Amino acid sequence: MKNTKKVLLATIAAGSMLALAACSGGSGGEGGEGGGGLIGVAMPTKSSERWIQDGDAVKEQLEEQGFKVDLQYAEDDIPTQVSQIENMITKGAEALIIASIDGTTLSEVLQSAADSDIPVIAYDRLIRDSENVDYYASFDNFVVGQQQAWSLTNGLGLTDLEGNPAEGAPAGPFNIELFAGSPDDNNATFFWNGAMDVLEPLIEDGTLVVKSGQTDFEQAAILRWDGEVAQSRMEDLLTADYSDGSQVDAVLSPYDGLSRGIISALTDAGYAVGAEWPIISGQDAELDSVKAINSGEQFATIFKDTRKLAEVAVNMAAAILNDEEVEVNNETDYDNGVKVVPSYLLESQIVVKDNITEVLVDSGYWTEEEING
Ligand code: BGC
C-alpha cells in the first residue's frame, strides 16, 4: 500500500522524537522535571466498543509517557462533552485530545482553551468551525469509504478488494441500499464520498440499482450512528421497496453498529444467511461484527487500529508540549471551515472472513478465543 513506507518512517521519527522528549526533561516526558502534566481526553460514548478501545489506548500510552490523564466519555450528549472539556481546562490540563460528538459545537469551549494556551488535537473526527484546533489525528477517511464500497463490489463478484474489475464478473443488476453516518460527524461525509466515488458509476451504468431511490447523503444519514435507527430505516425500505418479492443484494453500511441493526431488520423480514443473504459492509472491527463476519452475516468491516491512532495523538501532544516538531502527513484535505488543520492520516484495512486471523489476531487486536468464544 502506497503510504506504508511513509507511515513507517513517520512512526520511527515520532518514536525518536519521544525518546528525545523523554531525555530533555520536557513537560510530560518520562523522567521530565515537570513530573508529567495533565492531559484531558474527551471521548464521545462508551456505547460503541471502538471508543472504549481508543480511550484505553490513549490513556495507557499517555501514562507510559509520564502524563496524568483525565479521560471522559459523554454518552453522545453534546452539553456533557462541553462541560467535561470545561472541567479539564479548569483542572489545568496542558493539552486536550478530543473526539467530538458534533464537530461544530465546540467553538466556545475551544476559545477558552486557546485563551489558556492549551493546544487541541482533534482525535479521529475533525472539529469544525474553530481556529483553535492545532492538529488532527485520523485515518484517510475518503479511502475508508472506498474500501467499504470495494468490499461490497468484491462480495458481489464484481471486483477484487482493491476495486480492480474481476474476470468474468456477473453483469448484475444487483439491488443495493445505502446508509451513511451521522451528519454532524465530519467523517461521515468523507466515508460517503469515498464510497459513492466507487458506487456511483455502477449505479449510472445499471450494474447496481437503488430500488428505494434514496441516493442522497441526507436520505441515507443516521443521526448519532444509532443502530436502532438504522434497523428501522432498513425495515421501512424492505416494506416499501422489496415487498414485491425482489431481494436486496447489498447494503452499504459505514459502521458495524449500523450493520448489526441492518442485519436484524433483514433477519426479521425472513432473510437467512445463504445464497440470498445480502453483502453488508461495516467499520471498526467490533467484536460482535467480527463474529458476524465469521458466521456470514456481515461480509466485511474496515479495521482502523485504535492503538496506532492513539500513538499518533499521544506523540502529537508530547511533541507540542516539548516544543518539538509535530509529525504530519497531510496539510491539504481537512479544512474545518476556518482553516486547513494539519493532519496525520493512518491507513485502514478491509477485513473479510479470510483475513481475520492475519489482520486482527496476529496484530493482537482480538484473540482467537474472543472471536470464537
Ligand atoms: C469513526 C468511525 C465510527 C463512527 C461511529 C466515526 O467518526 O471514524 O470509526 O464507526 O464514528 O462511532
Short mmCIF file of all heavy atoms in Angstrom, two decimals, residues 126-156:
data_model
loop_
_atom_site.label_atom_id
_atom_site.label_comp_id
_atom_site.label_asym_id
_atom_site.label_seq_id
_atom_site.Cartn_x
_atom_site.Cartn_y
_atom_site.Cartn_z
N LEU A 126 -12.75 15.37 12.81
CA LEU A 126 -12.32 16.76 12.74
C LEU A 126 -13.28 17.66 13.52
O LEU A 126 -14.50 17.48 13.46
CB LEU A 126 -12.28 17.20 11.27
CG LEU A 126 -11.71 18.59 11.01
CD1 LEU A 126 -10.24 18.66 11.42
CD2 LEU A 126 -11.87 18.98 9.55
N ILE A 127 -12.73 18.62 14.28
CA ILE A 127 -13.57 19.62 14.93
C ILE A 127 -13.69 20.80 13.97
O ILE A 127 -12.68 21.33 13.50
CB ILE A 127 -12.94 20.08 16.26
CG1 ILE A 127 -12.77 18.87 17.19
CG2 ILE A 127 -13.81 21.16 16.91
CD1 ILE A 127 -11.97 19.16 18.45
N ARG A 128 -14.92 21.18 13.69
CA ARG A 128 -15.17 22.20 12.65
C ARG A 128 -15.39 23.58 13.25
O ARG A 128 -15.62 23.73 14.45
CB ARG A 128 -16.38 21.79 11.82
CG ARG A 128 -16.16 20.47 11.04
CD ARG A 128 -17.27 20.27 10.04
NE ARG A 128 -17.40 21.43 9.17
CZ ARG A 128 -16.67 21.64 8.07
NH1 ARG A 128 -15.80 20.76 7.68
NH2 ARG A 128 -16.84 22.74 7.36
N ASP A 129 -15.35 24.57 12.36
CA ASP A 129 -15.74 25.96 12.69
C ASP A 129 -14.95 26.58 13.84
O ASP A 129 -15.51 27.38 14.60
CB ASP A 129 -17.25 26.03 13.03
CG ASP A 129 -18.11 25.50 11.90
OD1 ASP A 129 -17.58 25.38 10.77
OD2 ASP A 129 -19.29 25.18 12.13
N SER A 130 -13.71 26.20 14.02
CA SER A 130 -12.90 26.81 15.07
C SER A 130 -11.46 26.90 14.58
O SER A 130 -10.94 25.95 13.99
CB SER A 130 -12.96 25.95 16.34
OG SER A 130 -11.98 26.40 17.26
N GLU A 131 -10.85 28.06 14.87
CA GLU A 131 -9.42 28.17 14.51
C GLU A 131 -8.55 27.53 15.58
O GLU A 131 -7.35 27.35 15.41
CB GLU A 131 -9.04 29.64 14.31
CG GLU A 131 -9.20 30.47 15.55
CD GLU A 131 -8.91 31.94 15.30
OE1 GLU A 131 -7.88 32.23 14.70
OE2 GLU A 131 -9.74 32.77 15.71
N ASN A 132 -9.18 27.18 16.72
CA ASN A 132 -8.40 26.67 17.85
C ASN A 132 -8.28 25.16 17.85
O ASN A 132 -8.48 24.50 18.88
CB ASN A 132 -9.01 27.19 19.15
CG ASN A 132 -9.08 28.71 19.15
OD1 ASN A 132 -8.08 29.36 18.86
ND2 ASN A 132 -10.25 29.25 19.42
N VAL A 133 -8.01 24.61 16.69
CA VAL A 133 -7.73 23.18 16.57
C VAL A 133 -6.32 23.11 16.00
O VAL A 133 -6.08 23.59 14.88
CB VAL A 133 -8.71 22.49 15.60
CG1 VAL A 133 -8.46 20.99 15.58
CG2 VAL A 133 -10.15 22.80 15.95
N ASP A 134 -5.40 22.57 16.75
CA ASP A 134 -4.00 22.64 16.32
C ASP A 134 -3.62 21.53 15.35
O ASP A 134 -2.94 21.77 14.37
CB ASP A 134 -3.09 22.62 17.55
CG ASP A 134 -3.32 23.85 18.41
OD1 ASP A 134 -2.84 24.93 18.02
OD2 ASP A 134 -4.05 23.75 19.42
N TYR A 135 -4.05 20.31 15.67
CA TYR A 135 -3.69 19.17 14.83
C TYR A 135 -4.86 18.19 14.77
O TYR A 135 -5.74 18.21 15.63
CB TYR A 135 -2.44 18.45 15.37
CG TYR A 135 -1.20 19.30 15.26
CD1 TYR A 135 -0.77 20.05 16.35
CD2 TYR A 135 -0.51 19.39 14.06
CE1 TYR A 135 0.35 20.88 16.24
CE2 TYR A 135 0.61 20.20 13.94
CZ TYR A 135 1.04 20.93 15.03
OH TYR A 135 2.13 21.74 14.91
N TYR A 136 -4.79 17.33 13.77
CA TYR A 136 -5.84 16.32 13.57
C TYR A 136 -5.17 14.97 13.37
O TYR A 136 -4.31 14.82 12.49
CB TYR A 136 -6.67 16.71 12.35
CG TYR A 136 -7.80 15.76 11.98
CD1 TYR A 136 -8.61 15.18 12.95
CD2 TYR A 136 -8.06 15.46 10.64
CE1 TYR A 136 -9.65 14.33 12.60
CE2 TYR A 136 -9.10 14.62 10.28
CZ TYR A 136 -9.89 14.06 11.26
OH TYR A 136 -10.92 13.22 10.90
N ALA A 137 -5.56 13.99 14.19
CA ALA A 137 -5.06 12.62 14.04
C ALA A 137 -6.21 11.74 13.58
O ALA A 137 -7.25 11.68 14.24
CB ALA A 137 -4.52 12.11 15.38
N SER A 138 -6.05 11.09 12.45
CA SER A 138 -7.18 10.29 11.94
C SER A 138 -6.69 9.25 10.94
O SER A 138 -5.49 8.96 10.84
CB SER A 138 -8.21 11.22 11.28
OG SER A 138 -9.42 10.53 11.05
N PHE A 139 -7.63 8.68 10.22
CA PHE A 139 -7.33 7.77 9.12
C PHE A 139 -7.67 8.49 7.83
O PHE A 139 -8.31 9.56 7.86
CB PHE A 139 -8.17 6.50 9.27
CG PHE A 139 -7.71 5.65 10.41
CD1 PHE A 139 -8.09 5.95 11.71
CD2 PHE A 139 -6.85 4.58 10.21
CE1 PHE A 139 -7.64 5.19 12.79
CE2 PHE A 139 -6.40 3.81 11.28
CZ PHE A 139 -6.79 4.12 12.57
N ASP A 140 -7.28 7.91 6.70
CA ASP A 140 -7.68 8.51 5.43
C ASP A 140 -9.14 8.13 5.20
O ASP A 140 -9.46 7.06 4.70
CB ASP A 140 -6.78 8.01 4.30
CG ASP A 140 -7.05 8.79 3.02
OD1 ASP A 140 -8.20 9.24 2.83
OD2 ASP A 140 -6.13 8.95 2.21
N ASN A 141 -10.02 9.03 5.63
CA ASN A 141 -11.44 8.70 5.71
C ASN A 141 -12.11 8.52 4.34
O ASN A 141 -13.08 7.77 4.22
CB ASN A 141 -12.16 9.75 6.55
CG ASN A 141 -11.67 9.71 7.99
OD1 ASN A 141 -11.77 8.68 8.64
ND2 ASN A 141 -11.13 10.81 8.49
N PHE A 142 -11.60 9.21 3.32
CA PHE A 142 -12.13 9.00 1.96
C PHE A 142 -11.82 7.57 1.52
O PHE A 142 -12.68 6.87 0.98
CB PHE A 142 -11.51 10.02 1.00
CG PHE A 142 -12.08 10.00 -0.39
CD1 PHE A 142 -13.23 10.72 -0.70
CD2 PHE A 142 -11.48 9.25 -1.40
CE1 PHE A 142 -13.76 10.69 -1.99
CE2 PHE A 142 -12.00 9.22 -2.69
CZ PHE A 142 -13.14 9.95 -2.98
N VAL A 143 -10.60 7.13 1.80
CA VAL A 143 -10.21 5.75 1.43
C VAL A 143 -11.05 4.74 2.22
O VAL A 143 -11.44 3.70 1.68
CB VAL A 143 -8.70 5.52 1.64
CG1 VAL A 143 -8.33 4.06 1.42
CG2 VAL A 143 -7.88 6.42 0.72
N VAL A 144 -11.34 5.04 3.49
CA VAL A 144 -12.21 4.13 4.26
C VAL A 144 -13.52 3.91 3.50
O VAL A 144 -13.99 2.78 3.35
CB VAL A 144 -12.50 4.70 5.68
CG1 VAL A 144 -13.60 3.90 6.38
CG2 VAL A 144 -11.23 4.71 6.53
N GLY A 145 -14.10 5.00 2.99
CA GLY A 145 -15.36 4.89 2.24
C GLY A 145 -15.17 4.06 0.97
O GLY A 145 -16.00 3.22 0.63
N GLN A 146 -14.06 4.30 0.28
CA GLN A 146 -13.80 3.49 -0.92
C GLN A 146 -13.68 2.01 -0.55
O GLN A 146 -14.21 1.14 -1.23
CB GLN A 146 -12.49 3.94 -1.58
CG GLN A 146 -12.58 5.29 -2.26
CD GLN A 146 -11.25 5.65 -2.91
OE1 GLN A 146 -10.19 5.56 -2.29
NE2 GLN A 146 -11.30 6.08 -4.16
N GLN A 147 -12.99 1.75 0.55
CA GLN A 147 -12.82 0.35 0.96
C GLN A 147 -14.16 -0.29 1.29
O GLN A 147 -14.38 -1.47 1.00
CB GLN A 147 -11.88 0.29 2.17
CG GLN A 147 -10.43 0.61 1.81
CD GLN A 147 -9.52 0.64 3.04
OE1 GLN A 147 -9.94 1.02 4.13
NE2 GLN A 147 -8.28 0.24 2.84
N GLN A 148 -15.06 0.49 1.90
CA GLN A 148 -16.39 -0.07 2.20
C GLN A 148 -17.09 -0.47 0.89
O GLN A 148 -17.69 -1.53 0.79
CB GLN A 148 -17.22 0.95 2.99
CG GLN A 148 -16.71 1.05 4.42
CD GLN A 148 -17.28 2.22 5.20
OE1 GLN A 148 -17.78 3.19 4.62
NE2 GLN A 148 -17.19 2.15 6.51
N ALA A 149 -16.99 0.40 -0.11
CA ALA A 149 -17.62 0.11 -1.39
C ALA A 149 -16.93 -1.06 -2.09
O ALA A 149 -17.59 -1.94 -2.66
CB ALA A 149 -17.60 1.35 -2.28
N TRP A 150 -15.58 -1.10 -2.02
CA TRP A 150 -14.87 -2.22 -2.66
C TRP A 150 -15.22 -3.54 -1.99
O TRP A 150 -15.27 -4.59 -2.64
CB TRP A 150 -13.35 -2.00 -2.59
CG TRP A 150 -12.87 -0.87 -3.45
CD1 TRP A 150 -13.45 -0.42 -4.61
CD2 TRP A 150 -11.72 -0.04 -3.21
NE1 TRP A 150 -12.73 0.65 -5.10
CE2 TRP A 150 -11.66 0.90 -4.27
CE3 TRP A 150 -10.74 0.00 -2.23
CZ2 TRP A 150 -10.66 1.86 -4.35
CZ3 TRP A 150 -9.74 0.96 -2.31
CH2 TRP A 150 -9.71 1.88 -3.35
N SER A 151 -15.46 -3.50 -0.68
CA SER A 151 -15.83 -4.76 -0.04
C SER A 151 -17.17 -5.24 -0.60
O SER A 151 -17.36 -6.44 -0.82
CB SER A 151 -15.85 -4.63 1.49
OG SER A 151 -16.92 -3.84 1.95
N LEU A 152 -18.07 -4.31 -0.91
CA LEU A 152 -19.36 -4.71 -1.50
C LEU A 152 -19.18 -5.24 -2.92
O LEU A 152 -19.72 -6.29 -3.28
CB LEU A 152 -20.33 -3.53 -1.52
CG LEU A 152 -20.77 -2.96 -0.17
CD1 LEU A 152 -21.77 -1.81 -0.38
CD2 LEU A 152 -21.39 -4.04 0.73
N THR A 153 -18.41 -4.49 -3.73
CA THR A 153 -18.25 -4.95 -5.12
C THR A 153 -17.50 -6.27 -5.16
O THR A 153 -17.76 -7.13 -6.00
CB THR A 153 -17.54 -3.88 -6.00
OG1 THR A 153 -16.31 -3.48 -5.37
CG2 THR A 153 -18.41 -2.65 -6.20
N ASN A 154 -16.60 -6.47 -4.18
CA ASN A 154 -15.91 -7.76 -4.11
C ASN A 154 -16.89 -8.87 -3.73
O ASN A 154 -16.93 -9.93 -4.37
CB ASN A 154 -14.76 -7.68 -3.10
CG ASN A 154 -14.06 -9.01 -2.92
OD1 ASN A 154 -14.18 -9.65 -1.88
ND2 ASN A 154 -13.36 -9.46 -3.94
N GLY A 155 -17.71 -8.61 -2.73
CA GLY A 155 -18.68 -9.62 -2.30
C GLY A 155 -19.67 -9.99 -3.40
O GLY A 155 -20.14 -11.12 -3.48
N LEU A 156 -19.96 -9.02 -4.26
CA LEU A 156 -20.89 -9.28 -5.37
C LEU A 156 -20.18 -9.95 -6.56
O LEU A 156 -20.83 -10.28 -7.56
CB LEU A 156 -21.53 -7.97 -5.84
CG LEU A 156 -22.49 -7.30 -4.85
CD1 LEU A 156 -22.89 -5.90 -5.33
CD2 LEU A 156 -23.75 -8.14 -4.63
#
